[in-house]
Amino acid sequence: MADSPDITSVLTEGRVFPPPPEFSRQAHIKSMEQYRELVAQADRDPEGYWGARGKEEIFWKTPFQKVLEWKSPFAKWFVGGTTNLSYNCLDRHLATHGDKTALIFEGEPGDQRRISYREMHAEVCRLANGLKSLGVQKGDRVGIYLPMIPEVAVAMLACARIGAVHSVVFGGFSAEALRERMNDAGAKVVITSDGGWRKGAAVPLKGNVDAALPEMPTVEKVIVAQRTAKTAPAKGPKDILWNELVSGQSATCEPEWVDSEHPLFILYTSGSTGKPKGVLHTTGGYAVYVSLTTRWVFDLKDSDTYWCTADVGWVTGHSYVVYGPLMNHATAFMYEGAPTTPGPDRFWEMIARNKITILYTAPTAIRAFMRLGDEHPKKHDMSSLRLLGTVGEPINPEAWIWYREVIGRGRCPIVDTWWQTETGGIMVTPLPGATSTKPGSATLPLPGIKAEVLDKDGKPVPLGSGGKLFITRPWPAMLRTLYKDPERYANTYFSEIPGKYFTGDGARIDQDGYLWVMGRVDDVVNVAGHRLGTAEVESALVSEGRVAEAAVVGRPDELKGTSLVAFVTLKKGVEPTAAIKQALSAHVAKEIGAIARPDEIRFAEGLPKTRSGKIMRRLLRDVAAGRQTTGDTTTLEDLNVLAALRNEEE
Ligand code: WTA
């Protein structure tokens, strides 16, 4: 992982894979010439380029007057236009694709549902009317805490239809994490289900909502879908069952035509300090960008069955499970449960049976499958696959090659897509019919995207050396602010080099202009493709009561990319025991969720600090990884502390 300020890049990977000619022939973007022409157009006249895309991609009720209004760091895109995203995902397709399958859903127990565009439209309208009947109005925030079942897409689209702002909370997050997010958003309604299936057991989502409810003062109603229970779930005073709410509602609902800059959703993501950041995305620019990138990057066609394995609780699920595929009248596959239930070949069996053509997943999953053994994918006929994608963290070349050979059988191009919750859509990626790929590189920025690797003075670093990754021109799907905190927005993203968007990632550019993203340079770690702020885990540890101080760092991990190591000093009089370690681990799972559970907890007498009292995480990262400290230790207050930490290891 990259380490600021001295970012050194150690990866050297020389293999190059040109796109198969038969793929290029049929692709939306067929060649590097075509790609370069688009890049040149966008560079010559960015607003002209985006204005044309804006008109082509979506339906506008009122046309926009101006493409971009940029008062750095605040952007408005497609100014003056009005539209509706639910209309663009559903109504727009009814005449031409009404009977086409929008969603193929498979539950973990094996149940399947196929939902056509027409059926989806009706479901969304019913729920939208139901939400209105509960008093939800344009601009109100609605929390969504659901498993991967069709209702999650229906709920998002119903919010978009009436101009309500959704905030999806990943079903793996705890009651505490839900409470924090719902209170920050001021959610009026929470949509949940009794549970969801995972590894054969029901995840108690409703139980978590109930636990958080007394401390979520803004929540007036809880809508409960039935998924795992055999009978209708019990109802508390604020509960209303999904089926009761929608039955009797009309299957039509006039969409609320909203301004291009009307908020569409808030999605919370980890920051390097303090509470999660409420990344705010708005309607028009997000829609145009996500629609376009879904089609180009995945080379999406009407004949495809497309599967993005991400949970809707993450941005990938928002953009490339729900909105992008539906705007492109695609058929998307959705799976509820664990990848290895009932057996290690569940994914491959589903791909073969459903004739899935495009698979978009994460390096951590690929590495886990690699470890399970080639025999599982090899048992199945996966000749339907024609394109593979990855997202979430840097993919190591070994996993990339395995993905290509064992899953793609050497035939399918791989798109390694770099982007973030904040960017709304894919930014740096191969176009599968045009770009030659190199294992481990996300390759080139999409046309219109200006990505630069800069040193601390804002100068481009020489080719091949490491620096910080910036996006130096506004783009339509960029976040607009952090919810209710424009100052934190400006400080977090636009203060490193004024006016330029700082991604928080380190990267290098090779002699072909290809980008190699090396990971985070801030105190955010990427565990199994999920961004975690070490500060949040630290504050959870301290809140247990017996901890005086905690420092959490990432350690390279073969499977998860990064694992979490917590250094903990206990309060006076508290004896370090294995039981405390267990209690701390359980406490973090309760406060944040199981994904944030430290992989290792180490008790320490003291933590290495600078004279000004800052914990030197750089040194702790070395200790955690069992490395010698090579960096400067002259600012360290007490060298003995470091020696003591190293001795702990023995
Ligand atoms: C990392 C997920 C290397 C990166 C869409 C980024 C990647 C963070 C890649 C965003 C990739 C994502 N190669 N690193 N292809 N994709 N990342 O907000 O560090 O959950 O900043 O968005 O994941 O994570 P987020």
Side-chain angles (χ1 to χ4, degrees):
M1 193 196 271
D3 212 358
S4 180
D6 46 345
I7 298 168
T8 41
S9 162
V10 290
L11 243 173
T12 44
E13 168 60 53
R15 288 167 285 192
V16 180
F17 296 88
E22 60 283 7
F23 192 100
S24 300
R25 268 196 293 279
Q26 58 79 58
H28 289 302
I29 307 292
K30 298 178 185 340
S31 66
M32 277 317 269
E33 289 66 51
Q34 197 183 347
Y35 163 78
R36 284 201 201 93
E37 172 51 32
L38 289 162
V39 170
Q41 267 178 34
D43 285 348
R44 268 197 308 274
D45 176 14
E47 291 183 33
Y49 173 83
W50 286 120
R53 301 291 87 75
K55 282 184 194 147
E56 287 162 9
E57 280 311 311
I58 66 167
F59 169 82
W60 297 92
K61 183 73 171 173
T62 325
F64 51 87
Q65 306 298 312
K66 200 171 168 208
V67 175
L68 169 66
E69 202 178 288
W70 177 234
K71 291 192 184 126
S72 178
F74 298 99
K76 288 185 179 164
W77 281 90
F78 307 119
V79 183
T82 65
T83 186
N84 181 285
L85 201 37
S86 153
Y87 180 92
N88 274 288
C89 287
L90 302 169
D91 309 50
R92 186 167 54 135
H93 310 318
L94 292 185
T96 48
H97 296 80
D99 296 322
K100 192 183 174 192
T101 301
L103 207 57
I104 305 172
F105 166 73
E106 184 155 324
E108 194 185 78
D111 50 319
Q112 262 220 12
R113 275 166 74 187
R114 280 175 177 266
I115 304 169
S116 69
Y117 274 88
R118 204 178 311 287
E119 289 161 342
M120 189 89 161
H121 175 261
E123 289 300 312
V124 167
C125 287
R126 284 199 191 94
L127 183 65
N129 287 325
L131 286 170
K132 284 207 251 184
S133 77
L134 297 179
V136 177
Q137 293 175 358
K138 179 179 168 186
D140 285 345
R141 276 80 57 217
V142 172
I144 299 177
Y145 187 57
L146 281 168
M148 283 295 283
I149 56 178
E151 283 75 6
V152 77
V154 172
M156 291 163 76
L157 291 163
C159 289
R161 193 160 193 94
I162 63 173
V165 184
H166 59 71
S167 185
V168 182
V169 177
F170 171 52
F173 276 140
S174 67
E176 294 303 314
L178 174 72
R179 176 181 58 79
E180 186 177 30
R181 286 159 176 75
M182 293 298 93
N183 287 343
D184 188 77
K188 194 170 189 175
V189 167
V190 173
I191 307 178
T192 188
S193 74
D194 50 356
W197 292 113
R198 184 132 191 121
K199 296 188 184 159
V203 179
L205 293 170
K206 178 58 167 43
N208 287 343
V209 176
D210 289 344
L213 200 56
E215 290 173 69
M216 299 196 292
T218 60
V219 176
E220 295 168 15
K221 285 282 176 202
V222 177
I223 301 172
V224 189
Q226 187 178 334
R227 170 65 189 150
T228 49
K230 293 226 165 49
T231 53
K235 279 202 301 186
K238 290 186 174 176
D239 297 348
I240 175 155
L241 298 182
W242 176 300
N243 286 340
E244 281 174 19
L245 180 67
V246 300
S247 74
Q249 296 290 353
S250 160
T252 58
C253 170
E254 178 63 16
E256 181 82 34
W257 300 106
V258 298
D259 189 89
S260 177
E261 282 301 328
H262 184 70
L264 176 68
F265 66 85
I266 304 166
L267 184 58
Y268 288 86
T269 187
S270 293
S272 53
T273 51
K275 63 181 172 77
K277 302 180 289 196
V279 169
L280 183 87
H281 283 287
T282 60
T283 307
Y286 175 81
V288 168
Y289 194 79
V290 168
S291 171
L292 178 73
T293 52
T294 307
R295 196 170 58 259
W296 279 4
V297 176
F298 301 110
D299 190 46
L300 201 56
K301 308 279 166 52
D302 256 328
S303 49
D304 281 311
T305 301
Y306 160 94
W307 184 21
C308 165
T309 68
D311 192 282
V312 176
W314 312 109
V315 73
T316 309
H318 284 60
S319 301
Y320 299 111
V321 173
V322 179
Y323 289 120
L326 293 177
M327 275 190 280
N328 283 284
H329 46 73
T331 297
F333 182 78
M334 177 188 266
Y335 170 60
E336 175 186 34
T340 50
T341 304
D345 62 341
R346 179 66 188 261
F347 265 34
W348 321 124
E349 187 273 325
M350 286 193 297
I351 287 172
R353 179 160 40 82
N354 293 286
K355 302 216 167 8
I356 285 162
T357 58
I358 302 168
L359 175 68
Y360 187 34
T361 192
T364 183
I366 297 167
R367 287 192 296 265
F369 288 129
M370 236 172 119
R371 191 174 271 199
L372 288 170
D374 297 6
E375 63 273 26
H376 307 298
K378 284 193 170 149
K379 270 206 304 252
H380 297 281
D381 172 15
M382 299 198 295
S383 55
S384 56
L385 284 175
R386 67 181 194 95
L387 177 65
L388 304 173
T390 129
V391 60
E393 58 182 306
I395 181 164
N396 46 310
E398 196 194 350
W400 195 101
I401 295 287
W402 184 86
Y403 198 26
R404 178 186 152 84
E405 296 305 325
V406 180
I407 305 306
R409 315 272 150 104
R411 294 179 296 108
C412 306
I414 296 180
V415 287
D416 175 357
T417 64
W418 177 89
W419 59 295
Q420 308 179 295
T421 306
E422 292 88 343
T423 69
I426 294 167
M427 303 288 277
V428 179
T429 177
L431 288 166
T435 319
S436 291
T437 52
K438 303 184 190 182
S441 170
T443 75
L444 300 165
L446 284 168
I449 299 303
K450 195 120 188 83
E452 292 184 81
V453 179
L454 304 175
D455 67 15
K456 58 182 188 318
D457 304 317
K459 292 203 189 66
V461 296
L463 291 186
S465 22
K468 291 176 176 175
L469 179 62
F470 288 82
I471 310 295
T472 56
R473 205 193 275 155
W475 67 102
M478 67 189 286
L479 80 164
R480 296 303 193 263
T481 190
L482 293 176
Y483 189 60
K484 290 192 298 200
D485 205 348
E487 213 168 303
R488 190 176 177 199
Y489 163 77
N491 286 336
T492 308
Y493 302 109
F494 290 92
S495 65
E496 187 85 14
I497 298 176
K500 296 184 173 175
Y501 172 83
F502 177 43
T503 63
D505 281 351
R508 70 180 168 94
I509 296 184
D510 72 13
Q511 67 285 359
D512 298 321
Y514 278 36
L515 267 158
W516 298 75
V517 175
M518 303 185 303
R520 308 288 307 178
V521 299
D522 50 17
D523 289 324
V524 173
V525 289
N526 197 323
V527 176
H530 302 315
R531 271 164 73 181
L532 295 172
T534 51
E536 287 169 64
V537 186
E538 288 162 5
S539 107
L541 286 165
V542 173
S543 74
E544 197 263 354
R546 288 179 286 187
V547 172
E549 202 169 35
V552 173
V553 297
R555 172 177 63 198
D557 182 284
E558 242 187 52
L559 205 58
K560 299 206 267 180
T562 307
S563 60
L564 289 179
V565 181
F567 295 88
V568 166
T569 61
L570 295 171
K571 285 184 179 160
K572 255 207 167 71
V574 182
E575 282 299 310
T577 61
I580 294 186
K581 284 190 187 177
Q582 267 174 15
L584 287 174
S585 173
H587 185 70
V588 171
K590 177 173 156 286
E591 289 291 310
I592 306 175
I595 46 168
R597 223 188 254 274
D599 297 86
E600 188 185 344
I601 295 176
R602 288 202 200 173
F603 293 121
E605 284 299 317
L607 298 175
K609 290 187 186 162
T610 62
R611 267 151 233 176
S612 63
K614 272 184 131 178
I615 295 174
M616 295 182 77
R617 288 191 176 69
R618 176 167 59 83
L619 302 184
L620 290 175
R621 279 195 284 268
D622 288 339
V623 175
R627 282 192 300 257
Q628 273 310 312
T629 299
T630 47
D632 185 17
T633 52
T634 50
T635 54
L636 185 64
E637 171 77 1
D638 180 1
L639 261 175
N640 294 325
V641 167
L642 198 60
L645 283 171
R646 293 204 182 280
N647 290 336
E648 277 284 301
E649 285 171 56
E650 267 83 71

